[in-house]
Amino acid sequence: MRRIVPIVLCSVCLAQAQQPVLKFAKLHHDFGRISADRKVSYRFKATNAGTAPLQIKQVVPSCGCTYTVVGQWYLKAGESTEIEATFNPAGMRGAVRKSMQVVSDDPVNSSITLSFEAEVIQEIMPSTTALFFDEVARTAPRKATLRLESGNGQPVQVIDAKAPGAPYLWATFHSEGKAVVVEILMDGRKVPANRLSGVDVVTIRTRSERMPIIPVNVQWALRPSITATPARIAWVEKAGKELRATIALKHADGKPFRVLSAKSTHPSLRVDGYGKAASVQQELVVTLGAQARAGNYNERVVLHLDDPEQPEMEIRVSAVLR
């Protein structure tokens, strides 16, 4: 028995030593500066550095890239293959980093991460394609600025910049070196009286063949001349009793105004206190009648005002009656 034991132990050691080992020549690749309209590829070399056959089970890429196993999924000891990563930078800009997981039956490293990076360059690189104008007064314009940087070393050339259908928006532009600075102005004085917010598009036309049109989304909201406190009414009560809430309306510029009428979206919801003399502050009482049944209510109270800048305002009313 003493002569047999060493043989058994050596057999065990040999079985443990025979296992696949997945190795890559490199785990990361830098594509450097690339154009947004050009796909790029790189082949990662994979080798079975173990002593037993290796099976590549799957390759799981992150979004923005695809892969191809060039060669074979099953590798004998010492054999190699290549995994080609293809990156499509369309719609991207600036520094980008992507990765993929290679899953195999390597008992030590069953999942290995491959990655690549690139700096995606567009012919024209806008500093932003979305602008926000909040709390715009109806008495003065507001300005926002964006830059169109050159991505190919050539000067950016803008033909014009317009916002069709939005007379309250206009744009001016001027060159700064190879870049162009575009100033977009929002004039609250030209917004129709019945509008307090909106989304428009300023279209910038350039002489670039690849990027002849650069759309800029402009989201805006005017500062209301009359505000309500509270801005929303919410009740959580038992059904069968009358619910009341007081709303204070105030003019931001201290001008007197009147509440001409009020309408609600539910017959059990009424408004009292409108029709009074003009004042810089008005007080209304919103009542949900006791006849309202149990359930969830999401209603509105619409107030009609004599203020030329804000002829109408809406109060949201919600209730949970048990």
Side-chain angles (χ1 to χ4, degrees):
M1 291 298 291
R2 292 180 180 177
R3 294 180 180 178
I4 297 175
V5 172
I7 297 175
V8 173
L9 290 176
C10 290
S11 299
V12 171
C13 293
L14 182 62
Q16 290 177 343
Q18 292 180 341
Q19 61 184 23
V21 178
L22 180 59
K23 295 287 186 180
F24 283 91
K26 60 186 294 188
L27 299 178
H28 181 76
H29 178 71
D30 186 354
F31 286 111
R33 291 165 64 94
I34 62 174
S35 173
D37 60 357
R38 181 173 67 91
K39 292 182 181 180
V40 291
S41 299
Y42 180 77
R43 292 187 177 186
F44 292 92
K45 184 178 179 180
T47 300
N48 179 5
T51 55
L54 177 119
Q55 178 72 54
I56 298 176
K57 296 181 178 180
Q58 60 177 334
V59 181
V60 184
S62 64
C63 60
C65 62
T66 59
Y67 75 92
T68 303
V69 175
V70 181
Q72 55 197 30
W73 293 74
Y74 181 82
L75 300 176
K76 297 178 181 179
E79 286 188 331
S80 299
T81 189
E82 291 181 327
I83 297 177
E84 183 177 70
T86 301
F87 173 52
N88 182 5
M92 300 183 185
R93 180 166 60 92
V96 178
R97 187 182 178 96
K98 300 293 180 181
S99 64
M100 61 177 66
Q101 300 291 324
V102 181
V103 182
S104 72
D105 61 358
D106 183 333
V108 178
N109 295 311
S110 60
S111 178
I112 296 178
T113 301
L114 304 177
S115 61
F116 61 83
E117 62 183 292
E119 183 181 358
V120 182
I121 303 299
Q122 296 177 331
E123 185 171 316
I124 300 175
M125 298 186 296
S127 59
T128 183
T129 55
L131 294 175
F132 301 89
F133 290 96
D134 294 324
E135 295 289 321
V136 178
R138 284 189 180 270
T139 56
R142 180 90 65 82
K143 181 175 69 174
T145 302
L146 64 93
R147 290 179 63 89
L148 304 179
E149 300 284 354
S150 172
N152 61 0
Q154 299 299 315
V156 177
Q157 299 182 52
V158 173
I159 300 173
D160 59 36
K162 297 179 180 179
Y168 40 83
L169 286 174
W170 76 91
T172 61
F173 53 89
H174 64 274
S175 297
E176 281 190 3
K178 295 180 179 180
V180 170
V181 176
V182 181
E183 294 182 343
I184 298 177
L185 290 91
M186 169 77 193
D187 192 345
R189 296 169 298 185
K190 297 184 179 181
V191 177
N194 60 344
R195 292 190 64 185
L196 289 175
S197 62
V199 179
D200 295 285
V201 177
V202 173
T203 301
I204 302 174
R205 292 197 306 136
T206 78
R207 297 191 185 279
S208 167
E209 293 184 359
R210 293 182 176 178
M211 300 180 67
I213 299 294
I214 300 176
V216 179
N217 292 318
V218 179
Q219 183 174 330
W220 56 270
L222 297 182
R223 184 187 69 190
S225 58
I226 298 173
T227 57
T229 305
R232 182 186 181 99
I233 298 173
W235 290 299
V236 179
E237 296 285 351
K238 291 183 179 180
K241 65 177 182 178
E242 186 176 85
L243 303 176
R244 296 165 63 87
T246 301
I247 297 178
L249 306 180
K250 186 176 181 180
H251 200 290
D253 298 326
K255 297 179 181 179
F257 67 96
R258 294 181 62 218
V259 182
L260 302 177
S261 64
K263 294 182 179 180
S264 66
T265 58
H266 194 276
S268 297
L269 194 64
R270 74 173 189 271
V271 181
D272 299 310
Y274 60 86
K276 298 177 183 177
S279 174
V280 297
Q281 184 167 319
Q282 299 280 353
E283 191 172 274
L284 304 176
V285 177
V286 179
T287 304
L288 183 63
Q291 69 273 24
R293 298 180 179 180
N296 295 336
Y297 295 81
N298 290 290
E299 308 298 334
R300 293 179 293 117
V301 170
V302 180
L303 306 177
H304 298 279
L305 315 170
D306 69 345
D307 184 80
E309 296 180 359
Q310 189 176 346
E312 185 177 286
M313 71 181 304
E314 182 178 283
I315 306 295
R316 293 280 180 173
V317 180
S318 61
V320 178
L321 303 184
R322 301 188 294 268

